[in-house]
Amino acid sequence: MSGTTEAEVQPRRKGLSRRRRRSLSRGAQYAVFAAVVILFAVTADWARLKNQFAQWDIARQMFPDVITLALKNTVLFTVSGFVLGLALGLVVALMRLSSVGPYRWIASVYIEIFRGLPALLIFVFIGVAVPLAFPGTEIPGGTYGKAAIGLGLIGAAYMAETFRAGIQAVPKGQLEAARSLGFSPARAMVSIVIPQAFRIILPPLTNELVMLFKDSSLVLLLGVTLEERELSKYGRDLASTTANSTPILVAGLCYLLVTIPLGFVVRRMEAKAQEAVA
């Protein structure tokens, strides 16, 4: 038995340690990444890319309209859709948690449908199917109202599940303590549980905001006017006019101007939440 043990231990001493293997693996990954970057840098036709995507005279012509018109409309569409989605998502989440069967079924069907359908089809439905089904019916707010409804319906399906998870994450003792103090179930939910759930779900809610900000590009399917164009539509129109893709690149950079800071905020909130738990 002792001879076998020594024979098994001896090769292990000669082999690489776990830390050494991990270090070599990491070095190999860095080397592969560097090789890919160098290969791309060497083989890419930078002159053609610059000519098609980096015409600074065209980019300069986009200002200030790309900010004061396109980015402003994108933010308006996103914020209005997010507010509507937040309110509707909370209602759907409470229905999902309800003890009343029909409420749960309606909420479940809504969530499955609007999470399963592509956002493009939802905007087509709002822009084409609703006017055909209800002739003469006008949605308040015009394009802004339609955009808010479309983004709100999409966002609410995801936010409802986020709300549900946040509410269920609040310890049940909080609700029981509130009931023992004489709170009704509805008041305990509104005053005690939901505020705590909000603190838990702030990071994923911010992620939903980023998602809606990108989905706002689909508003162009509703038929926008020149003054209602968002970033994507604005960039595509100028790209067609100038026969150059620089406007699309500038529009993409404007998206990043908003999404990168939001992503940083999400990471900070998640870090603080983990610190609070620890």
Side-chain angles (χ1 to χ4, degrees):
M1 180 66 71
S2 60
T4 303
T5 303
E6 291 176 0
E8 291 177 350
V9 172
Q10 188 65 24
R12 294 179 186 174
R13 290 176 180 173
K14 294 181 180 180
L16 297 175
S17 65
R18 181 179 299 178
R19 179 178 298 179
R20 182 60 177 166
R21 290 197 300 270
R22 189 184 303 118
S23 177
L24 290 175
S25 175
R26 189 182 301 113
Q29 293 175 33
Y30 286 146
V32 171
F33 176 75
V36 171
V37 171
I38 293 172
L39 181 64
F40 174 76
V42 171
T43 58
D45 191 338
W46 294 104
R48 294 184 64 182
L49 285 173
K50 182 176 182 297
N51 182 63
Q52 186 64 25
F53 288 97
Q55 292 295 322
W56 304 120
D57 54 337
I58 296 177
R60 284 195 297 269
Q61 295 173 11
M62 298 177 65
F63 292 89
D65 286 349
V66 69
I67 302 295
T68 59
L69 176 68
L71 181 58
K72 180 200 72 174
N73 284 335
T74 300
V75 171
L76 287 176
F77 293 146
T78 303
V79 171
S80 59
F82 182 76
V83 171
L84 178 60
L86 197 66
L88 181 58
L90 178 57
V91 172
V92 173
L94 294 175
M95 293 174 64
R96 188 87 162 75
L97 295 170
S98 174
S99 59
V100 181
Y103 288 168
R104 293 198 307 273
W105 303 333
I106 292 171
S108 298
V109 169
Y110 172 83
I111 290 171
E112 293 303 323
I113 289 177
F114 282 92
R115 283 200 311 178
L117 286 175
L120 183 145
L121 293 183
I122 295 173
F123 276 95
V124 169
F125 178 80
I126 293 173
V128 178
V130 172
L132 289 176
F134 305 98
T137 301
E138 290 291 335
I139 296 177
T143 301
Y144 292 98
K146 295 176 184 177
I149 292 174
L151 292 172
L153 290 173
I154 296 167
Y158 292 92
M159 293 183 205
E161 288 295 273
T162 303
F163 272 120
R164 181 179 65 83
I167 291 172
Q168 291 180 328
V170 176
K172 293 183 178 180
Q174 298 286 331
L175 184 60
E176 294 171 356
R179 293 298 307 278
S180 67
L181 293 174
F183 284 67
S184 66
R187 186 182 174 191
M189 179 65 70
V190 172
S191 302
I192 306 297
V193 177
I194 291 178
Q196 294 185 64
F198 258 106
R199 287 195 293 269
I200 297 172
I201 64 175
L202 268 178
L205 281 182
T206 309
N207 279 327
E208 298 297 337
L209 180 60
V210 173
M211 182 195 74
L212 290 181
F213 187 76
K214 294 184 293 183
D215 283 345
S216 65
S217 62
L218 297 174
V219 172
L220 62 90
L221 298 172
L222 300 176
V224 297
T225 65
L226 291 176
E227 296 301 317
E228 295 170 341
R229 290 179 297 175
E230 39 70 47
L231 280 170
S232 181
K233 174 67 172 172
Y234 183 83
R236 289 179 58 185
D237 287 350
L238 284 183
S240 299
T241 302
T242 60
N244 190 273
S245 299
T246 300
I248 295 178
L249 176 63
V250 174
L253 293 175
C254 288
Y255 278 106
L256 294 178
L257 189 65
V258 175
T259 57
I260 289 178
L262 281 176
F264 176 77
V265 170
V266 170
R267 289 191 295 273
R268 291 292 298 171
M269 288 191 297
E270 288 176 344
K272 288 185 177 180
Q274 291 176 357
E275 291 174 2
V277 172

